[in-house]
Short mmCIF file of all heavy atoms in Angstrom, two decimals:
data_model
loop_
_atom_site.label_atom_id
_atom_site.label_comp_id
_atom_site.label_asym_id
_atom_site.label_seq_id
_atom_site.Cartn_x
_atom_site.Cartn_y
_atom_site.Cartn_z
N GLU C 773 -0.92 -31.47 41.87
CA GLU C 773 0.25 -31.25 41.02
C GLU C 773 1.33 -32.28 41.31
O GLU C 773 1.97 -32.80 40.39
CB GLU C 773 0.77 -29.82 41.24
CG GLU C 773 1.94 -29.46 40.33
CD GLU C 773 2.36 -28.02 40.53
OE1 GLU C 773 1.47 -27.15 40.64
OE2 GLU C 773 3.59 -27.77 40.57
N LEU C 776 0.28 -35.65 39.93
CA LEU C 776 0.33 -35.60 38.46
C LEU C 776 1.75 -35.80 37.96
O LEU C 776 2.00 -36.62 37.05
CB LEU C 776 -0.24 -34.27 37.96
CG LEU C 776 -0.10 -33.98 36.47
CD1 LEU C 776 -0.87 -35.03 35.65
CD2 LEU C 776 -0.60 -32.58 36.14
N THR C 777 2.70 -35.09 38.55
CA THR C 777 4.09 -35.23 38.09
C THR C 777 4.64 -36.62 38.37
O THR C 777 5.39 -37.18 37.56
CB THR C 777 4.97 -34.15 38.75
OG1 THR C 777 4.85 -34.27 40.18
CG2 THR C 777 4.53 -32.77 38.33
N LEU C 780 3.31 -39.01 35.74
CA LEU C 780 3.99 -38.82 34.46
C LEU C 780 5.37 -39.47 34.48
O LEU C 780 5.79 -40.09 33.50
CB LEU C 780 4.12 -37.32 34.15
CG LEU C 780 2.82 -36.58 33.84
CD1 LEU C 780 3.07 -35.09 33.66
CD2 LEU C 780 2.16 -37.15 32.58
N LYS C 781 6.09 -39.30 35.57
CA LYS C 781 7.43 -39.89 35.65
C LYS C 781 7.38 -41.41 35.62
O LYS C 781 8.30 -42.07 35.13
CB LYS C 781 8.13 -39.41 36.91
CG LYS C 781 8.48 -37.93 36.89
CD LYS C 781 9.09 -37.48 38.20
CE LYS C 781 9.41 -35.99 38.18
NZ LYS C 781 9.97 -35.52 39.46
N LEU C 792 -5.68 -34.89 36.38
CA LEU C 792 -6.11 -33.78 35.53
C LEU C 792 -7.62 -33.58 35.63
O LEU C 792 -8.10 -32.44 35.68
CB LEU C 792 -5.72 -34.05 34.07
CG LEU C 792 -4.28 -33.79 33.67
CD1 LEU C 792 -4.05 -34.17 32.21
CD2 LEU C 792 -3.91 -32.31 33.87
N VAL C 811 -4.18 -23.00 35.57
CA VAL C 811 -3.86 -23.73 34.34
C VAL C 811 -2.41 -23.49 33.94
O VAL C 811 -1.70 -24.41 33.51
CB VAL C 811 -4.82 -23.31 33.21
CG1 VAL C 811 -4.37 -23.92 31.89
CG2 VAL C 811 -6.23 -23.76 33.52
N SER C 812 -1.95 -22.24 34.09
CA SER C 812 -0.56 -21.94 33.77
C SER C 812 0.39 -22.72 34.68
O SER C 812 1.41 -23.26 34.22
CB SER C 812 -0.32 -20.43 33.93
OG SER C 812 1.03 -20.10 33.69
N ASP C 813 0.05 -22.81 35.97
CA ASP C 813 0.89 -23.58 36.90
C ASP C 813 0.94 -25.05 36.49
O ASP C 813 2.01 -25.69 36.52
CB ASP C 813 0.36 -23.45 38.32
CG ASP C 813 0.54 -22.03 38.87
OD1 ASP C 813 1.36 -21.28 38.30
OD2 ASP C 813 -0.15 -21.67 39.86
N LEU C 814 -0.21 -25.61 36.10
CA LEU C 814 -0.23 -27.00 35.65
C LEU C 814 0.63 -27.19 34.40
O LEU C 814 1.37 -28.18 34.28
CB LEU C 814 -1.67 -27.43 35.34
CG LEU C 814 -2.55 -27.83 36.52
CD1 LEU C 814 -3.95 -28.15 36.02
CD2 LEU C 814 -1.97 -29.03 37.27
N ALA C 815 0.51 -26.25 33.46
CA ALA C 815 1.30 -26.35 32.23
C ALA C 815 2.79 -26.33 32.53
O ALA C 815 3.57 -27.12 31.96
CB ALA C 815 0.92 -25.21 31.29
N TRP C 816 3.21 -25.44 33.40
CA TRP C 816 4.65 -25.38 33.73
C TRP C 816 5.08 -26.61 34.50
O TRP C 816 6.23 -27.08 34.37
CB TRP C 816 4.94 -24.10 34.52
CG TRP C 816 5.06 -22.93 33.62
CD1 TRP C 816 4.12 -21.99 33.36
CD2 TRP C 816 6.19 -22.59 32.83
NE1 TRP C 816 4.58 -21.07 32.45
CE2 TRP C 816 5.86 -21.41 32.11
CE3 TRP C 816 7.44 -23.14 32.65
CZ2 TRP C 816 6.74 -20.79 31.23
CZ3 TRP C 816 8.33 -22.52 31.77
CH2 TRP C 816 7.99 -21.36 31.07
N ALA C 817 4.20 -27.17 35.33
CA ALA C 817 4.55 -28.40 36.05
C ALA C 817 4.78 -29.54 35.06
O ALA C 817 5.75 -30.30 35.17
CB ALA C 817 3.45 -28.76 37.05
N VAL C 818 3.87 -29.70 34.09
CA VAL C 818 4.03 -30.76 33.09
C VAL C 818 5.27 -30.50 32.24
O VAL C 818 6.04 -31.42 31.93
CB VAL C 818 2.76 -30.84 32.20
CG1 VAL C 818 2.96 -31.84 31.07
CG2 VAL C 818 1.55 -31.22 33.03
N LYS C 819 5.49 -29.24 31.87
CA LYS C 819 6.67 -28.90 31.07
C LYS C 819 7.96 -29.21 31.81
O LYS C 819 8.90 -29.81 31.25
CB LYS C 819 6.59 -27.41 30.70
CG LYS C 819 7.76 -26.92 29.84
CD LYS C 819 8.80 -26.19 30.64
CE LYS C 819 9.90 -25.65 29.75
NZ LYS C 819 11.00 -25.05 30.51
N ASN C 820 8.04 -28.81 33.07
CA ASN C 820 9.25 -29.06 33.85
C ASN C 820 9.47 -30.56 34.05
O ASN C 820 10.62 -31.04 34.04
CB ASN C 820 9.16 -28.35 35.19
CG ASN C 820 9.20 -26.84 35.05
OD1 ASN C 820 9.75 -26.31 34.09
ND2 ASN C 820 8.61 -26.13 36.00
N THR C 821 8.39 -31.32 34.25
CA THR C 821 8.52 -32.77 34.39
C THR C 821 9.08 -33.39 33.12
O THR C 821 9.99 -34.24 33.18
CB THR C 821 7.14 -33.38 34.72
OG1 THR C 821 6.65 -32.80 35.93
CG2 THR C 821 7.25 -34.88 34.89
N ALA C 822 8.54 -32.98 31.96
CA ALA C 822 9.05 -33.52 30.69
C ALA C 822 10.51 -33.15 30.49
O ALA C 822 11.32 -33.99 30.06
CB ALA C 822 8.19 -32.99 29.53
N ALA C 823 10.88 -31.91 30.78
CA ALA C 823 12.27 -31.49 30.63
C ALA C 823 13.19 -32.27 31.56
O ALA C 823 14.30 -32.68 31.18
CB ALA C 823 12.39 -29.99 30.89
N GLU C 824 12.72 -32.49 32.79
CA GLU C 824 13.54 -33.25 33.75
C GLU C 824 13.74 -34.69 33.28
O GLU C 824 14.84 -35.26 33.40
CB GLU C 824 12.85 -33.23 35.12
CG GLU C 824 13.63 -33.94 36.21
CD GLU C 824 12.91 -33.92 37.54
OE1 GLU C 824 11.87 -33.21 37.65
OE2 GLU C 824 13.36 -34.61 38.47
N MET C 825 12.69 -35.28 32.72
CA MET C 825 12.81 -36.65 32.21
C MET C 825 13.80 -36.74 31.06
O MET C 825 14.58 -37.69 30.96
CB MET C 825 11.43 -37.15 31.76
CG MET C 825 10.45 -37.34 32.91
SD MET C 825 8.73 -37.54 32.36
CE MET C 825 8.87 -39.02 31.37
N ILE C 826 13.81 -35.74 30.23
CA ILE C 826 14.75 -35.72 29.11
C ILE C 826 16.18 -35.57 29.61
O ILE C 826 17.11 -36.26 29.16
CB ILE C 826 14.39 -34.60 28.13
CG1 ILE C 826 13.05 -34.89 27.44
CG2 ILE C 826 15.47 -34.44 27.08
CD1 ILE C 826 12.54 -33.77 26.57
N ASN C 827 16.37 -34.68 30.59
CA ASN C 827 17.72 -34.39 31.07
C ASN C 827 18.29 -35.52 31.92
O ASN C 827 19.48 -35.84 31.84
CB ASN C 827 17.71 -33.09 31.88
CG ASN C 827 17.37 -31.89 31.03
OD1 ASN C 827 17.64 -31.89 29.84
ND2 ASN C 827 16.79 -30.87 31.64
N ASN C 828 17.43 -36.13 32.76
CA ASN C 828 17.94 -37.13 33.72
C ASN C 828 17.94 -38.56 33.19
O ASN C 828 18.79 -39.36 33.55
CB ASN C 828 17.11 -37.08 35.01
CG ASN C 828 17.26 -35.74 35.72
OD1 ASN C 828 18.22 -35.02 35.49
ND2 ASN C 828 16.31 -35.41 36.59
N ILE C 833 11.09 -37.72 23.95
CA ILE C 833 9.66 -37.47 24.06
C ILE C 833 9.19 -36.82 22.76
O ILE C 833 9.84 -35.90 22.23
CB ILE C 833 9.36 -36.55 25.26
CG1 ILE C 833 9.76 -37.25 26.56
CG2 ILE C 833 7.89 -36.19 25.31
CD1 ILE C 833 9.56 -36.41 27.80
N ILE C 835 6.82 -34.88 22.14
CA ILE C 835 6.35 -33.50 22.23
C ILE C 835 7.48 -32.62 22.76
O ILE C 835 8.28 -33.03 23.61
CB ILE C 835 5.12 -33.40 23.16
CG1 ILE C 835 4.54 -31.98 23.14
CG2 ILE C 835 5.45 -33.81 24.59
CD1 ILE C 835 3.24 -31.83 23.89
N ASP C 836 7.58 -31.42 22.22
CA ASP C 836 8.58 -30.45 22.68
C ASP C 836 8.10 -29.85 24.00
O ASP C 836 7.03 -29.24 24.05
CB ASP C 836 8.75 -29.35 21.63
CG ASP C 836 9.80 -28.32 22.04
OD1 ASP C 836 10.47 -28.52 23.06
OD2 ASP C 836 9.95 -27.31 21.31
N PRO C 837 8.86 -30.00 25.09
CA PRO C 837 8.41 -29.45 26.37
C PRO C 837 8.13 -27.95 26.33
O PRO C 837 7.27 -27.46 27.05
CB PRO C 837 9.58 -29.78 27.33
CG PRO C 837 10.26 -30.95 26.70
CD PRO C 837 10.12 -30.76 25.24
N GLU C 838 8.85 -27.23 25.48
CA GLU C 838 8.64 -25.78 25.41
C GLU C 838 7.28 -25.42 24.84
O GLU C 838 6.79 -24.29 25.01
CB GLU C 838 9.74 -25.14 24.55
CG GLU C 838 11.15 -25.31 25.09
CD GLU C 838 11.33 -24.66 26.46
OE1 GLU C 838 10.64 -23.65 26.73
OE2 GLU C 838 12.14 -25.15 27.26
N GLN C 839 6.64 -26.38 24.16
CA GLN C 839 5.32 -26.11 23.58
C GLN C 839 4.19 -26.31 24.58
O GLN C 839 3.07 -25.86 24.35
CB GLN C 839 5.09 -27.03 22.36
CG GLN C 839 6.07 -26.82 21.23
CD GLN C 839 5.97 -25.42 20.64
OE1 GLN C 839 4.88 -24.87 20.50
NE2 GLN C 839 7.12 -24.84 20.29
N ILE C 840 4.47 -26.98 25.70
CA ILE C 840 3.39 -27.31 26.65
C ILE C 840 2.78 -26.05 27.26
O ILE C 840 1.55 -25.93 27.35
CB ILE C 840 3.92 -28.27 27.73
CG1 ILE C 840 4.31 -29.61 27.07
CG2 ILE C 840 2.88 -28.49 28.82
CD1 ILE C 840 4.95 -30.60 28.01
N PRO C 841 3.58 -25.03 27.70
CA PRO C 841 2.93 -23.82 28.25
C PRO C 841 2.08 -23.07 27.25
O PRO C 841 1.25 -22.24 27.62
CB PRO C 841 4.13 -22.97 28.73
CG PRO C 841 5.24 -23.95 28.94
CD PRO C 841 5.04 -25.00 27.90
N ARG C 842 2.27 -23.35 25.97
CA ARG C 842 1.49 -22.65 24.94
C ARG C 842 0.12 -23.28 24.73
O ARG C 842 -0.65 -22.81 23.89
CB ARG C 842 2.26 -22.63 23.62
CG ARG C 842 3.59 -21.89 23.71
CD ARG C 842 4.28 -21.85 22.38
NE ARG C 842 5.57 -21.16 22.47
CZ ARG C 842 6.43 -21.02 21.45
NH1 ARG C 842 6.12 -21.52 20.27
NH2 ARG C 842 7.56 -20.39 21.63
N ILE C 843 -0.17 -24.36 25.46
CA ILE C 843 -1.48 -25.00 25.31
C ILE C 843 -2.60 -24.02 25.61
O ILE C 843 -3.66 -24.05 24.97
CB ILE C 843 -1.56 -26.23 26.26
CG1 ILE C 843 -0.68 -27.35 25.71
CG2 ILE C 843 -3.00 -26.70 26.42
CD1 ILE C 843 -0.61 -28.56 26.62
N MET C 844 -2.37 -23.11 26.56
CA MET C 844 -3.44 -22.21 26.97
C MET C 844 -3.47 -20.91 26.18
O MET C 844 -4.25 -20.02 26.47
CB MET C 844 -3.32 -21.90 28.46
CG MET C 844 -1.99 -21.26 28.87
SD MET C 844 -1.90 -20.95 30.63
CE MET C 844 -3.24 -19.80 30.85
N SER C 856 -6.04 -31.10 25.39
CA SER C 856 -4.65 -30.90 25.00
C SER C 856 -3.71 -31.40 26.09
O SER C 856 -2.65 -31.98 25.80
CB SER C 856 -4.40 -29.42 24.72
OG SER C 856 -5.19 -28.97 23.64
N PHE C 857 -4.07 -31.17 27.35
CA PHE C 857 -3.25 -31.69 28.46
C PHE C 857 -3.21 -33.22 28.41
O PHE C 857 -2.16 -33.84 28.61
CB PHE C 857 -3.82 -31.21 29.79
CG PHE C 857 -3.18 -29.96 30.31
CD1 PHE C 857 -3.88 -28.77 30.32
CD2 PHE C 857 -1.89 -29.96 30.78
CE1 PHE C 857 -3.30 -27.60 30.79
CE2 PHE C 857 -1.30 -28.79 31.26
CZ PHE C 857 -2.00 -27.61 31.26
N ALA C 860 -0.85 -34.30 25.70
CA ALA C 860 0.55 -34.09 26.09
C ALA C 860 0.99 -35.15 27.09
O ALA C 860 2.09 -35.71 26.99
CB ALA C 860 0.71 -32.69 26.67
N CYS C 861 0.13 -35.46 28.07
CA CYS C 861 0.47 -36.47 29.07
C CYS C 861 0.62 -37.85 28.41
O CYS C 861 1.49 -38.65 28.79
CB CYS C 861 -0.59 -36.52 30.16
SG CYS C 861 -0.61 -35.04 31.21
N ILE C 864 3.96 -38.06 26.79
CA ILE C 864 5.03 -38.19 27.77
C ILE C 864 5.07 -39.61 28.33
O ILE C 864 6.15 -40.23 28.47
CB ILE C 864 4.84 -37.17 28.90
CG1 ILE C 864 5.02 -35.75 28.37
CG2 ILE C 864 5.82 -37.42 30.04
CD1 ILE C 864 4.67 -34.66 29.36
#
Side-chain angles (χ1 to χ4, degrees):
E773 184 176 317
L776 173 62
T777 56
L780 292 176
K781 291 176 181 178
L792 281 177
V811 172
S812 178
D813 291 342
L814 279 177
W816 280 99
V818 175
K819 181 260 183 186
N820 292 334
T821 301
E824 182 181 352
M825 292 166 61
I826 293 174
N827 294 332
N828 296 339
I833 296 177
I835 186 173
D836 181 6
E838 298 298 330
Q839 298 297 321
I840 295 175
R842 298 183 181 177
I843 288 176
M844 58 181 298
S856 297
F857 266 109
C861 291
I864 293 173

